[in-house]
Structure formats: C-alpha cells, structure tokens
Amino acid sequence: MKLNIAVLPGDGIGPEVTAEAVKVLKAIAMEFNHVFTFDYGLIGASAIDKTGNPLPDASLELSKKADTILFGAIGEPKYDNDPYAKIRPEQGLLKLRKELDLYTNIRPVIAYEDLLNNSPLKKKYIKDVNICIYRELTGGIYFGDKKVSENGNNASDICEYSRFEIERIAHMAFKAAQSRKQKLTLIDKANVLESSRLWRKVVKELASQYQDVTLDFLFIDNAAMQVITNPKQFDVILTENMFGDIISEEASVIVGSIGLLASASIGDTHAMFEPIHGTYTMARNKGIANPIAAILSAAMLLDHFGLYDEASLVREGVEKSLKLHITTPDLNTKYDNISTSKVGDFIEDFINNPDETNLNFTNIHLGQSTII
C-alpha cells in the first residue's frame, strides 16, 4: 500500500514522540513492503513563532491533500498564562478539525497487565478494563459563539448541537459497541442542559436500530466518579465534545500514564491520529517523554487503512516493551536510563525481529537497541 502521511509534530514533546511514531511506521513499511511517504508541516506555537498563524495555509493544504495525518501536540505556557492573547496554539488544532470535519474522536483506554501497579487505583478495580470513548469533536461549546463584554467583566460560550451532528457519531459508537461487548453508555447532563437533552433524545431514537446493544445513560458528574470507582462497567462511551475531553483525560489514571493513550480523529474523508497528552514543555528535549501513545496512534492509523496485521505487530512491540520495562521514567521503576528514542528503537527492532524475545540490555543502554 502507498500512503502519503502529513506529519504535524507541533510543540513541546510533540516532535520527539512523533519522530518515534514515524520510526515505527517506516519499520512497518519495510517489513510489509508498503510505501509510506512523510511530509511535514507547522502547527501550534511553533507555527505562530514562525508565521504568526497557528495553522498556516501550507499546513492546511498539506493535510487536505494527504491520505492521513500524524499529529503530535500543541501548546505553550506563555499562551496558557496570558488571558489577553488573541492568537493561541489551540486555535490551529480546532481549525484543522473543523476544516477537515474530523467529527469523531476515538480514544481506547486499556489497562495493561504489566502496568497495573502504575495506577493509583486498586488492581481489583482496573484489571481487564477495556473502554473505548467516542467523543464528538467539531461541535459544542468549543466551537460555539464566544463573546466578551466591552468592559471585560462578562463572557459567554455557546454550546450548540444539531440532530445531524449527534446522529453521525452515535451511529459510529453503536456500531463499535456491536463489535465489542454490546454496551453503549451516553454521558450527558440532561437534567440541566438543553443540548444534553437533545443528545439523549436522538440517541434513544437511534437505539431501535441497534437492538443487540444495551444502552444506558450517566450524568457527567456521576460518570466522572464511576470511571474511577467502577471502570469495568464501561464498554463504549459516547459523549459530547467538552465532556469527552475531560472524561478521557481522567481515564488516563486507569492505565497509569497519559503517555499511553492514543486517539483517532475521523471524518467522512479525512483522518488524523494523535496521542491525547499535551506538550509537557518542561520535558522538551530531555529524552524522557513517553512515545507509546504516539506509537499506538500510528497503530490506529494502520487499522484505519485495513492493515490489521501491521497494527497488531506494533501493539505486540508495545506490549513487549512494557513487559521488559523498556519504558520512559513515567512508567519505569526498574531502569532510569531508557530514553524516548530507545523505546522507539526497541519497538522498531521488535517489528524487524518479532520472533526474538530476549533483549540485550547492555546494548540498549549503550543506545544500540539490539535484540538477540
């Protein structure tokens, strides 16, 4: 298969973790005789610094023409801490999602057996947890009208949804549930918000088309508690934009590190793959950023194009790295000198030598990542 992949590394640790995802994709291409080409563009704070625009026209056109997009992370403290900033890195990502109509964000949350001790939650609550969150991505309060009064003392953000916006992601979530444990949970705030009441009405109506799926509902405040106290009850979660943003970040506690959570942003004609973590700017260029979420996002990219064996091999490499503690410091209590690039090197080597299981630790500590 030939794929032209637009790469938007972004800010902070984005370029470092994205480089490891590209490394893994190149190894897959070589192992399976695919042709993957990578074209790079600017986005976020780095784009503002160089062009004054968080999403330059060149990056948008690059993304539109590509078969798919591999994304890093965006954000910079100097913008986060400035309430008067008119141009912000996040505007680039929001515009990209809207321009490409990437309306469905898919976020798997999987508790890995070898990392159960890394979670602050008790093992009995998180063992075997496997949740898939479907978050609506191009509507709601993030994209509604925003106003600030002339004196700066009043502000508003409008949360608005249409039946069409709800139906298209709900169908995807129902179909995902059919292929999993056949349970779908809608998270809303229908006791207070009209927009949530529309969500509940539309999803209830669609449920008749998916009678093999059990549908239930939780208010967002209760769901935030249930994700921590009883995560095993969930299979597929469906929710609106802001609630999905919050609940998926919270779910990272289950797996022990936000550096493990990948995501896919899907539309009818475009798709983008990215880790859900932020820019972690204090770790920039220190070699301690966890690249696994970015690498698992690359696996989701392969899934999207029907390259299931290739995606499975990437995930096997990730699981092997976790088992052998070839991980960055956020996960590693056994070794303190495994860098971002060494994790990528190990998974790359695993792809090239999947039948070999014993890592030569001396070599990998020297940066040679040889499997024997």
Side-chain angles (χ1 to χ4, degrees):
M1 177 178 286
K2 292 183 179 180
L3 286 178
N4 178 23
I5 301 171
V7 183
L8 305 178
D11 310 318
I13 62 171
E16 296 169 70
V17 298
T18 304
E20 301 312 308
V22 170
K23 180 187 294 180
V24 167
L25 286 172
K26 287 181 176 179
I28 286 292
M30 182 172 293
E31 185 69 19
F32 289 87
N33 296 314
H34 299 308
V35 178
F36 297 162
T37 58
F38 302 89
D39 296 312
Y40 288 75
L42 295 170
I43 194 169
S46 58
I48 296 173
D49 292 343
K50 293 180 180 179
T51 70
N53 185 346
L55 180 63
D57 290 344
S59 297
L60 179 57
E61 287 306 308
L62 176 70
S63 300
K64 286 181 175 179
K65 292 178 181 178
D67 295 311
T68 190
I69 306 158
L70 192 63
F71 186 88
I74 58 167
E76 189 70 33
K78 67 180 179 181
Y79 297 101
D80 297 338
N81 299 325
D82 181 5
Y84 301 102
K86 299 297 183 184
I87 300 176
R88 297 179 178 275
E90 293 77 13
Q91 292 168 347
L93 178 57
L94 293 177
K95 182 178 179 181
L96 184 64
R97 289 172 177 169
K98 199 70 173 180
E99 288 281 340
L100 302 184
D101 199 22
L102 303 173
Y103 59 84
T104 296
N105 184 245
I106 305 168
R107 298 185 170 188
V109 180
I110 299 171
Y112 291 96
E113 183 70 27
D114 293 296
L115 294 179
L116 294 180
N117 289 328
N118 288 74
S119 174
L121 305 180
K122 293 181 179 179
K123 285 185 182 180
K124 65 179 181 179
Y125 295 128
I126 62 173
K127 182 178 171 59
D128 299 322
V129 164
N130 187 330
I131 304 169
C132 196
I133 300 172
Y134 275 67
R135 168 193 171 192
E136 201 287 326
L137 203 58
T138 56
I141 201 166
Y142 290 178
F143 290 92
D145 289 339
K146 305 177 189 308
K147 296 181 181 178
V148 180
S149 63
E150 289 186 5
N151 63 12
N153 292 329
N154 295 279
S156 64
D157 299 275
I158 302 299
C159 181
E160 186 174 3
Y161 272 106
S162 68
R163 171 179 288 273
F164 170 74
E165 289 174 309
I166 298 168
E167 284 182 343
R168 61 183 182 174
I169 186 173
H171 279 300
M172 294 183 70
F174 272 114
K175 290 174 183 176
Q178 284 182 315
S179 66
R180 290 168 53 93
K181 298 178 184 176
Q182 300 179 318
K183 182 180 180 183
L184 178 64
T185 302
L186 175 66
I187 293 176
D188 60 27
K189 192 63 176 170
N191 58 335
V192 175
L193 302 177
E194 285 294 343
S195 57
S196 281
R197 284 192 273 271
L198 179 62
W199 270 86
R200 191 169 290 210
K201 174 185 175 183
V202 171
V203 172
K204 276 186 173 180
E205 291 173 0
L206 294 182
S208 63
Q209 301 178 36
Y210 302 93
Q211 295 189 10
D212 55 336
V213 175
T214 300
L215 173 65
D216 66 356
F217 306 90
L218 284 177
F219 296 142
I220 179 61
D221 42 358
N222 186 21
M225 177 182 68
Q226 296 290 334
V227 162
I228 297 300
T229 60
N230 185 20
K232 290 182 183 180
Q233 70 181 285
F234 297 106
D235 180 24
V236 176
I237 290 174
L238 170 64
T239 191
E240 59 101 74
N241 204 339
M242 185 170 69
F243 296 162
D245 193 3
I246 295 168
I247 208 78
S248 57
E249 293 270 343
E250 183 191 18
S252 68
V253 174
I254 296 169
V255 302
S257 172
I258 199 170
L260 292 171
L261 295 186
S263 79
S265 299
I266 308 295
D268 293 333
T269 57
H270 298 281
M272 181 169 73
F273 302 86
E274 59 179 303
I276 80 162
H277 60 66
T279 53
Y280 192 19
T281 53
M282 64 282 291
R284 179 168 39 203
N285 298 324
K286 293 182 180 179
I288 61 173
N290 188 342
I292 288 179
I295 292 169
L296 289 173
S297 296
M300 294 184 77
L301 182 157
L302 295 168
D303 279 330
H304 181 72
F305 289 97
L307 303 178
Y308 303 118
D309 290 342
E310 291 87 335
S312 178
L313 186 57
V314 172
R315 293 188 177 99
E316 288 175 23
V318 167
E319 290 173 7
K320 181 64 69 173
S321 74
L322 298 177
K323 193 173 191 65
L324 294 177
H325 304 284
I326 309 303
T327 56
T328 44
D330 58 310
L331 296 176
N332 207 329
T333 58
K334 190 171 184 179
Y335 304 105
D336 60 5
N337 60 345
I338 306 293
S339 67
T340 305
S341 62
K342 285 180 180 178
V343 175
D345 289 344
F346 174 79
I347 296 171
E348 175 191 35
D349 281 348
F350 179 86
I351 291 167
N352 294 331
N353 305 277
D355 295 327
E356 302 295 337
T357 58
N358 297 311
L359 176 68
N360 184 328
F361 284 97
T362 301
N363 282 350
I364 197 168
H365 290 175
L366 292 173
Q368 296 171 16
S369 67
T370 301
I371 295 177
I372 59 173

